[in-house]
Each structure stands twice: as C-alpha cells, then as structure tokens.
C-alpha cells in the first residue's frame, strides 16, 4: 500500500506544479494583453513607457517651442496660474515630476524671488534671459552650486527637485538653468513617477504639469506622490480635461501624446 500511495502523491505534486506553471504563464499573458492609451491608439501597457520615452527624446530640444506653437502661448498663462495657486514660500521643498525642461521649476524660483522682493510681475520666463539672470543674481542664487550652501548662507531655503524619466529633457532643463544663471536652489533627477527613488516624507509640495497622461498607471503615480510628501503636503496636477468645443478639442488632441 505504501508504494501506490507514494505514486499518487508524486502524480499530485506533478499536476500541482503543472497547474502553477500554467497559472503563471496565464497571468503573464494577461499582463501583456492589458492595453492603455497612447495618443489615438491603444497599445499594450508594457510598451507605453518606451514609446513615451522615444517621443520626448526626439522632441526635447524643441519641446518649449512646440508648446508655444500648439497652444498659441497660452500654456505659459496656465503655468503662471498654477504656481500662483500653489503659492510657495521661501521654505518650500518642491518635487516637480515630468518637468524636464524646467518650466514649472523656474516659475517656482521666480515666484519666491518676487515674493521676497514684494513684486508681482509676470512669472513666465522671457525669451530674452538677461532680465531674469540679473534678477537671480540679485538674490545670490549663483553664489553656490549646492542647496546645502544656500541654507547655510540663509539666502535660499527653498528648493525644487526636477524629476523626469527622460534624460534628454533633463539635459535641456539644465542648459536653460545655466543660461539663466541659476546655479543653486534646484536639482535634477532621472526617475519614474510610478517608482520614485526617494525617501518618504521629503517634500512640501508635488507638482506634475501635462505629464500624468503619459504615465501608464496613474494610481501608482498618486501613491508615490503621497509617499514622498510630508504630512499636510500638497499634490497639484495640471492637465487637460475634456473639451466640449470641437474646434478647441482638435487643438488639444494635437498636442496630447
């Protein structure tokens, strides 16, 4: 009786292992078959990140000019209003996600600079950079290359970390910062919004402007934002909503990835 029992147990173990391999293979196939949006088409989820990366890699150098052309410059006003709604102070630590070219980050720095000077001029970074560069030099932003030195000098206690998955976009942002004479108060981080390589409870505010639509799993993005924000921190997302007017909808669709 012992031998047949061992045979039956062996057969059951083999069937169980076969069943486990089948279920694992099925789950992998289902994961691969899940689709998400990419522009006007649906694609497998596991392909979106690479496609988005390639798009922004190819347009990084002309991204700002593209936004101006496609929105008739209105995106600048939206971003100005976005920062005013955030209302940062000189002690704010900001994480700007999907902000490779620095549009939100530069406005953040300029807003606080204006706040310290009791000014209320336009937050948009001008095409000619001389005025903005002098504005930053007056605040000794170029006196140090690290945020720690800023804090030691008690000149700049605020800081913005620009995070983007695309290195080419970050490179464009760095070049702009150098041209504006900004050497401190900001840092650049290559990272995925769905899995940030950052510690918990670090930031007072989290911004993502026209970037969340390019993420595959929005729920993971929000979870990560919640994790890295300090208790009471602010999550702010600037994104297109559904446009009722058919003519405006075409313009919006044209600049949506």
């Amino acid at each position: 009786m012992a031998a047949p029992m061992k045979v039956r147990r062996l057969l059951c173990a083999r069937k169980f292992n076969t069943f486990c391999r089948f279920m694992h293979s099925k789950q992998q196939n289902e994961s691969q078959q899940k689709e998400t949006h990419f522009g006007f088409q649906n694609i497998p989820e596991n392909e979106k990140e690479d496609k988005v990366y390639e798009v922004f890699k190819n347009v990084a150098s002309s991204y700002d000019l593209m936004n101006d052309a496609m929105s008739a410059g209105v995106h600048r006003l939206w971003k100005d209003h976005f920062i005013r709604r955030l209302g940062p102070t000189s002690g704010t630590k900001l994480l700007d996600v999907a902000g490779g070219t620095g549009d939100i980050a530069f406005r953040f720095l300029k807003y606080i600079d204006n706040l310290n000077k009791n000014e209320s001029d336009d937050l948009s970074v001008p095409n000619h950079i001389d005025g903005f560069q002098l504005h930053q030099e007056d605040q000794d932003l170029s006196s140090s290359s690290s945020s720690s030195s800023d804090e030691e000098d008690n000149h700049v206690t605020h800081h913005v970390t620009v995070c983007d998955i695309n290195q080419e976009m970050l490179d464009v942002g760095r070049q702009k910062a150098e041209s504006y004479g900004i050497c401190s108060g900001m840092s650049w981080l290559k990272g995925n919004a769905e899995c940030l390589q950052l510690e918990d409870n670090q930031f007072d505010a989290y911004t993502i402007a026209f970037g969340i639509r390019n993420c595959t799993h929005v729920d993971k993005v929000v979870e990560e934002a919640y994790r890295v924000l300090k208790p009471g921190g602010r999550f702010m997302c600037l994104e297109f909503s559904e446009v009722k007017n058919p003519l405006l909808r075409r313009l919006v669709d044209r600049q949506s990835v």
Side-chain angles (χ1 to χ4, degrees):
M1 291 293 294
M5 181 65 71
K6 289 182 179 179
V7 171
R8 283 198 296 271
R9 287 179 178 173
L10 181 60
L11 290 174
C12 288
R14 288 178 176 175
K15 287 180 180 178
F16 179 75
N17 290 334
T18 302
F19 174 76
C20 289
R21 287 196 296 270
F22 168 75
M23 291 302 296
H24 180 68
S25 176
K26 182 180 178 182
Q27 289 174 353
Q28 283 187 325
N29 290 334
E30 288 177 351
S31 175
Q32 292 173 354
Q33 291 170 2
K34 285 184 179 178
E35 293 188 339
T36 186
H37 65 88
F38 181 74
F40 300 106
Q41 59 180 324
N42 289 331
I43 61 172
E45 279 189 351
N46 56 4
E47 294 181 10
K48 181 169 181 175
E49 184 175 316
D50 290 339
K51 287 183 176 293
V52 170
Y53 189 96
E54 284 301 315
V55 167
F56 285 97
K57 176 182 177 181
N58 294 331
V59 303
S61 60
S62 57
Y63 180 72
D64 293 334
L65 183 62
M66 249 174 45
N67 282 342
D68 281 334
M70 291 182 176
S71 70
V74 177
H75 76 101
R76 296 175 179 268
L77 302 178
W78 292 336
K79 291 169 182 174
D80 289 351
H81 182 67
F82 186 59
I83 288 296
R84 290 192 182 98
R85 288 293 299 272
L86 174 62
T89 62
S90 58
T92 300
K93 301 294 186 293
L94 171 65
L95 175 64
D96 181 39
V97 176
T101 58
D103 259 11
I104 296 299
F106 298 139
R107 282 170 170 79
F108 167 82
L109 293 174
K110 190 171 184 181
Y111 181 94
I112 297 176
D113 189 24
N114 291 345
L115 191 68
N116 292 337
K117 287 174 171 285
N118 295 317
E119 296 179 357
S120 59
D121 52 333
D122 186 11
L123 295 176
S124 294
V125 179
N127 292 329
H128 57 285
I129 64 173
D130 294 341
F132 184 69
Q133 182 173 347
L134 290 174
H135 207 52
Q136 298 301 329
E137 289 174 350
D138 287 344
Q139 287 296 309
D140 293 328
L141 286 180
S142 60
S143 61
S144 172
S145 61
S146 67
S147 59
S148 59
S149 297
D150 293 334
E151 294 175 357
E152 291 172 3
D153 294 339
N154 293 321
H155 289 305
V156 179
T157 58
H158 52 277
H159 189 274
V160 53
T161 300
V162 183
C163 177
D164 200 291
I165 198 171
N166 194 294
Q167 186 61 52
E168 284 74 14
M169 295 285 281
L170 290 171
D171 291 342
V172 171
R174 278 200 186 96
Q175 292 169 7
K176 288 169 64 177
E178 291 175 3
S179 69
Y180 297 154
I182 302 174
C183 303
S184 59
M186 65 191 312
S187 56
W188 307 86
L189 172 68
K190 182 180 179 183
N192 189 330
E194 297 181 11
C195 185
L196 297 170
Q197 300 300 309
L198 294 166
E199 295 181 3
D200 299 354
N201 306 327
Q202 279 200 63
F203 300 95
D204 302 297
Y206 175 115
T207 54
I208 181 167
F210 305 121
I212 205 166
R213 69 179 182 270
N214 297 323
C215 300
T216 307
H217 304 101
V218 175
D219 55 335
K220 292 182 180 179
V221 175
V222 176
E223 287 175 1
E224 282 292 272
Y226 181 80
R227 181 181 65 80
V228 300
L229 280 170
K230 297 176 182 178
R234 299 183 65 188
F235 171 85
M236 295 192 64
C237 175
L238 177 62
E239 192 53 86
F240 292 111
S241 61
E242 183 179 359
V243 181
K244 303 297 182 182
N245 185 298
L247 295 178
L248 290 177
R249 189 188 305 132
R250 291 176 188 171
L251 291 175
V252 171
D253 288 344
R254 283 180 59 190
Q255 61 178 336
S256 297
V257 174

